[in-house]
Amino acid sequence: MNMPVHAPLEKFQRLGDLLGIELYVQRDDLLAFPLAGNKVRKVRAELRTLSFTPELLITNGAINSNHCRTVALAAAELGISTHLVLHDSSKCDQTNSPALRLFRNIGARTTVVPPDCIASEISAIRERARDSGIRAHVIPGGGHSPAGALAYREAGLEVFRRLRPDVVFVASGTGATHGGLAAAATHLPSPPRVIGVSVARSADIGVAQVQQAAAWCGAASAAVDFDDRFRAGGYGMEDDATHEAVHLGWSNGLPLDSTYTGKAFAALIHYAQSKQLQNARVLFWHTGGLWNYLVADTQAGHR
Ligand SMILES: *Cc1c(COP(=O)(O)O)cnc(C)c1O
């Protein structure tokens, strides 16, 4: 893909003043893509590094996966078909799900399976494609691949060199985004502290994933600063700190969601209030999540 992957870097003066910090936001939620987020950089990088043009992309994720949506739409633009292996633990009405409606409009095939059948389903789809002479490529779930991490190393280098932040906050899920940014930091004369705020995993599993992603970027010994205290119990769960962060963000012009960016911002608020960010230039790396915000609202009523 030849489209530029750029997003604004903005100073949030008023919100920064409220928190007593110098606050900048890297707006990857404003990458030129519908309901944008970090998956845009990761998926585009993944597609760029393919040595052949596939006819079919196979990947997996939850029904509301930002990764799956981005893969399906980016592939559609290139005339590549997609088969998404989806799982869902909630008992939502699947025929009315906005996510499934979007996949139908894109023309992506979807198969919904229980989480423990994902790997076997992907193998079966791949084998059927091979038998029919279709060139297929499997993208790891969540875009947790070297290409995605490298895309974030590249983006991190550009933004860190421009802004020279002291501390960076980013929501950390599979760890590819965090690992790429942590790798970028190692190239700076005075490296920023890159704090990955876990949205799901506890540190005992999460740190190794981030380290692996940093290693993909040639920075196996990068410092991994992984904070798992703001997960609110796990993926898709939320607590008062999440809600307060989401509200503080929106009420100062910064859109946040409770699955990803609200947790990262809850951490930022905590560090600011406990005076750990004094005189620091703070960069909040916004990873998207507007879809998650909209869907959470319709599922759980207005908060
Ligand atoms: C996927 C996602 C993340 C987590 O990114 P990883 O690279 O998997 O750690 C963070 N924020 C949003 C909005 C996402 O969709």
Side-chain angles (χ1 to χ4, degrees):
M1 301 198 98
N2 51 12
M3 272 158 262
V5 186
H6 288 300
L9 172 63
E10 294 175 345
K11 184 166 194 184
F12 271 69
Q13 183 72 50
R14 193 186 126 82
L15 185 50
D17 288 349
L18 278 174
L19 294 166
I21 58 171
E22 189 187 352
L23 176 64
Y24 291 82
V25 181
Q26 170 57 30
R27 301 293 307 266
D28 278 8
D29 60 320
L30 295 182
L31 284 161
F33 195 85
L35 299 162
N38 63 341
K39 303 308 181 295
V40 179
R41 290 190 197 269
K42 290 170 73 174
V43 168
R44 288 200 169 149
E46 180 80 25
L47 295 178
R48 264 200 311 270
T49 52
L50 290 179
S51 55
F52 65 100
T53 305
E55 294 159 289
L56 175 68
L57 287 172
I58 307 164
T59 194
N60 69 284
I63 284 184
N64 275 309
S65 154
N66 294 322
H67 165 71
C68 287
R69 256 191 299 287
T70 308
V71 168
L73 192 54
E77 194 177 342
L78 299 171
I80 302 170
S81 26
T82 20
H83 195 143
L84 307 170
V85 178
L86 305 172
H87 53 93
D88 190 18
S89 44
S90 75
K91 299 280 164 281
C92 71
D93 177 358
Q94 291 184 357
T95 47
N96 279 330
S97 148
L100 291 180
R101 175 159 48 86
L102 179 62
F103 292 142
R104 278 196 299 276
N105 275 315
I106 291 174
R109 284 193 63 186
T110 54
T111 310
V112 182
V113 299
D116 56 341
C117 298
I118 294 168
S120 58
E121 185 63 28
I122 289 176
S123 313
I125 295 167
R126 206 216 309 243
E127 270 163 40
R128 280 203 303 277
R130 192 188 301 135
D131 293 346
S132 330
I134 294 169
R135 283 191 310 272
H137 173 71
V138 178
I139 300 183
H144 192 63
S145 69
L150 281 162
Y152 266 93
R153 190 190 72 138
E154 204 180 301
L157 272 175
E158 188 191 315
V159 174
F160 296 169
R161 283 189 174 134
R162 235 171 99 198
L163 184 69
R164 307 242 167 229
D166 299 301
V167 187
V168 181
F169 288 86
V170 66
S172 191
T174 67
T177 303
H178 180 197
L181 294 180
T186 64
H187 292 272
L188 274 91
S190 39
R193 179 176 175 198
V194 180
I195 302 174
V197 183
S198 179
V199 300
R201 295 171 175 154
S202 56
D204 53 335
I205 343 176
V207 170
Q209 297 283 314
V210 180
Q211 259 156 1
Q212 180 189 43
W216 286 335
C217 301
S221 55
V224 172
D225 212 324
F226 186 85
D227 196 330
D228 67 359
R229 291 173 298 167
F230 301 88
R231 296 181 291 147
Y235 185 79
M237 295 164 82
E238 44 198 278
D239 60 14
D240 288 348
T242 328
H243 292 167
E244 280 158 26
V246 169
H247 174 65
L248 186 69
W250 279 102
S251 59
N252 287 281
L254 182 66
L256 297 175
D257 74 286
S258 56
T259 308
Y260 295 104
T261 55
K263 291 181 177 178
F265 208 78
L268 184 153
I269 294 170
H270 170 82
Y271 281 71
Q273 288 177 344
S274 53
K275 312 265 179 248
Q276 297 176 65
L277 300 175
Q278 278 174 322
N279 304 317
R281 175 174 280 190
V282 179
L283 173 62
F284 181 70
W285 199 297
H286 199 308
T287 49
L290 185 57
W291 177 286
N292 305 86
Y293 174 80
L294 297 170
V295 169
D297 237 18
T298 49
Q299 275 173 359
H302 296 283
R303 274 185 285 264

